[in-house]
Short mmCIF file of all heavy atoms in Angstrom, two decimals:
data_model
loop_
_atom_site.label_atom_id
_atom_site.label_comp_id
_atom_site.label_asym_id
_atom_site.label_seq_id
_atom_site.Cartn_x
_atom_site.Cartn_y
_atom_site.Cartn_z
N ARG A 37 14.50 1.63 -47.46
CA ARG A 37 14.01 2.79 -48.22
C ARG A 37 15.11 3.83 -48.40
O ARG A 37 15.22 4.45 -49.45
CB ARG A 37 12.79 3.41 -47.54
CG ARG A 37 11.62 2.49 -47.39
CD ARG A 37 11.05 2.08 -48.72
NE ARG A 37 10.03 1.06 -48.52
CZ ARG A 37 9.25 0.61 -49.48
NH1 ARG A 37 9.38 1.04 -50.70
NH2 ARG A 37 8.37 -0.31 -49.21
N PHE A 38 15.91 4.03 -47.36
CA PHE A 38 17.00 5.01 -47.43
C PHE A 38 18.03 4.55 -48.47
O PHE A 38 18.52 5.35 -49.26
CB PHE A 38 17.64 5.17 -46.05
CG PHE A 38 18.56 6.35 -45.92
CD1 PHE A 38 18.21 7.61 -46.39
CD2 PHE A 38 19.79 6.22 -45.28
CE1 PHE A 38 19.06 8.71 -46.24
CE2 PHE A 38 20.65 7.30 -45.13
CZ PHE A 38 20.28 8.55 -45.62
N ARG A 39 18.33 3.25 -48.48
CA ARG A 39 19.26 2.70 -49.49
C ARG A 39 18.71 2.91 -50.90
O ARG A 39 19.46 3.27 -51.81
CB ARG A 39 19.48 1.21 -49.26
CG ARG A 39 20.49 0.89 -48.17
CD ARG A 39 20.74 -0.58 -48.06
NE ARG A 39 21.34 -1.11 -49.29
CZ ARG A 39 21.59 -2.38 -49.49
NH1 ARG A 39 21.31 -3.28 -48.57
NH2 ARG A 39 22.13 -2.79 -50.62
N GLU A 40 17.43 2.66 -51.06
CA GLU A 40 16.77 2.85 -52.36
C GLU A 40 16.96 4.30 -52.82
O GLU A 40 17.29 4.55 -53.97
CB GLU A 40 15.28 2.53 -52.16
CG GLU A 40 14.42 2.46 -53.36
CD GLU A 40 12.97 2.15 -52.99
OE1 GLU A 40 12.72 1.28 -52.12
OE2 GLU A 40 12.07 2.79 -53.56
N PHE A 41 16.77 5.24 -51.89
CA PHE A 41 16.95 6.66 -52.20
C PHE A 41 18.41 6.97 -52.53
O PHE A 41 18.71 7.62 -53.53
CB PHE A 41 16.49 7.51 -51.01
CG PHE A 41 16.88 8.95 -51.11
CD1 PHE A 41 16.23 9.81 -51.99
CD2 PHE A 41 17.91 9.45 -50.34
CE1 PHE A 41 16.61 11.14 -52.10
CE2 PHE A 41 18.30 10.78 -50.44
CZ PHE A 41 17.64 11.63 -51.32
N LEU A 42 19.34 6.49 -51.70
CA LEU A 42 20.76 6.78 -51.91
C LEU A 42 21.29 6.17 -53.21
O LEU A 42 22.16 6.73 -53.84
CB LEU A 42 21.59 6.28 -50.72
CG LEU A 42 21.40 7.05 -49.41
CD1 LEU A 42 22.20 6.39 -48.29
CD2 LEU A 42 21.77 8.51 -49.55
N LYS A 43 20.71 5.04 -53.58
CA LYS A 43 21.10 4.42 -54.85
C LYS A 43 20.82 5.37 -56.01
O LYS A 43 21.64 5.54 -56.91
CB LYS A 43 20.34 3.10 -55.04
CG LYS A 43 21.00 2.15 -56.00
CD LYS A 43 20.24 0.83 -56.10
CE LYS A 43 20.52 -0.05 -54.91
NZ LYS A 43 19.94 -1.39 -55.01
N LYS A 44 19.66 6.03 -55.95
CA LYS A 44 19.29 6.99 -57.00
C LYS A 44 20.22 8.20 -56.99
O LYS A 44 20.41 8.85 -58.01
CB LYS A 44 17.84 7.46 -56.81
CG LYS A 44 16.83 6.38 -57.10
CD LYS A 44 15.42 6.88 -56.86
CE LYS A 44 14.42 5.77 -57.12
NZ LYS A 44 13.06 6.18 -56.80
N GLU A 45 20.79 8.51 -55.83
CA GLU A 45 21.71 9.64 -55.68
C GLU A 45 23.17 9.22 -55.87
O GLU A 45 24.07 10.02 -55.67
CB GLU A 45 21.56 10.26 -54.28
CG GLU A 45 20.25 10.96 -54.06
CD GLU A 45 20.42 12.18 -53.17
OE1 GLU A 45 21.29 12.17 -52.29
OE2 GLU A 45 19.66 13.13 -53.38
N PHE A 46 23.38 7.97 -56.19
CA PHE A 46 24.73 7.43 -56.37
C PHE A 46 25.59 7.57 -55.12
O PHE A 46 26.78 7.88 -55.18
CB PHE A 46 25.44 8.07 -57.59
CG PHE A 46 24.64 7.92 -58.85
CD1 PHE A 46 23.89 8.98 -59.34
CD2 PHE A 46 24.63 6.72 -59.54
CE1 PHE A 46 23.13 8.83 -60.50
CE2 PHE A 46 23.88 6.56 -60.69
CZ PHE A 46 23.13 7.62 -61.18
N SER A 47 24.98 7.37 -53.96
CA SER A 47 25.75 7.43 -52.71
C SER A 47 25.34 6.34 -51.73
O SER A 47 25.46 6.49 -50.52
CB SER A 47 25.62 8.82 -52.06
OG SER A 47 24.27 9.12 -51.79
N GLU A 48 24.86 5.22 -52.25
CA GLU A 48 24.45 4.11 -51.40
C GLU A 48 25.63 3.58 -50.57
O GLU A 48 25.43 3.05 -49.46
CB GLU A 48 23.87 2.97 -52.26
CG GLU A 48 23.36 1.80 -51.45
CD GLU A 48 22.93 0.61 -52.29
OE1 GLU A 48 23.39 0.48 -53.44
OE2 GLU A 48 22.16 -0.21 -51.76
N SER A 132 11.90 13.24 -50.54
CA SER A 132 11.95 12.42 -51.75
C SER A 132 10.64 11.66 -52.00
O SER A 132 9.85 11.42 -51.09
CB SER A 132 13.09 11.41 -51.65
OG SER A 132 12.74 10.38 -50.73
N ASP A 133 10.46 11.25 -53.25
CA ASP A 133 9.32 10.42 -53.61
C ASP A 133 9.35 9.09 -52.87
O ASP A 133 8.30 8.58 -52.47
CB ASP A 133 9.30 10.15 -55.12
CG ASP A 133 8.91 11.39 -55.92
OD1 ASP A 133 8.36 12.34 -55.32
OD2 ASP A 133 9.16 11.40 -57.14
N VAL A 134 10.54 8.53 -52.67
CA VAL A 134 10.67 7.24 -51.96
C VAL A 134 10.02 7.36 -50.58
O VAL A 134 9.20 6.52 -50.20
CB VAL A 134 12.16 6.83 -51.81
CG1 VAL A 134 12.32 5.62 -50.91
CG2 VAL A 134 12.78 6.57 -53.17
N PHE A 135 10.36 8.41 -49.84
CA PHE A 135 9.82 8.62 -48.49
C PHE A 135 8.34 8.98 -48.55
O PHE A 135 7.51 8.39 -47.86
CB PHE A 135 10.61 9.70 -47.75
CG PHE A 135 10.05 10.02 -46.39
CD1 PHE A 135 10.32 9.19 -45.31
CD2 PHE A 135 9.26 11.14 -46.19
CE1 PHE A 135 9.80 9.48 -44.04
CE2 PHE A 135 8.74 11.43 -44.93
CZ PHE A 135 9.02 10.59 -43.86
N ASN A 137 6.02 8.63 -50.86
CA ASN A 137 5.12 7.56 -51.32
C ASN A 137 4.92 6.50 -50.26
O ASN A 137 3.81 5.98 -50.09
CB ASN A 137 5.65 6.93 -52.62
CG ASN A 137 5.55 7.89 -53.80
OD1 ASN A 137 4.76 8.83 -53.78
ND2 ASN A 137 6.35 7.65 -54.82
#
Side-chain angles (χ1 to χ4, degrees):
R37 300 296 173 172
F38 193 46
R39 279 184 64 184
E40 189 181 317
F41 168 74
L42 291 176
K43 201 177 282 186
K44 291 178 181 176
E45 291 215 329
F46 304 101
S47 59
E48 183 187 22
S132 73
D133 287 344
V134 172
F135 177 79
N137 290 338

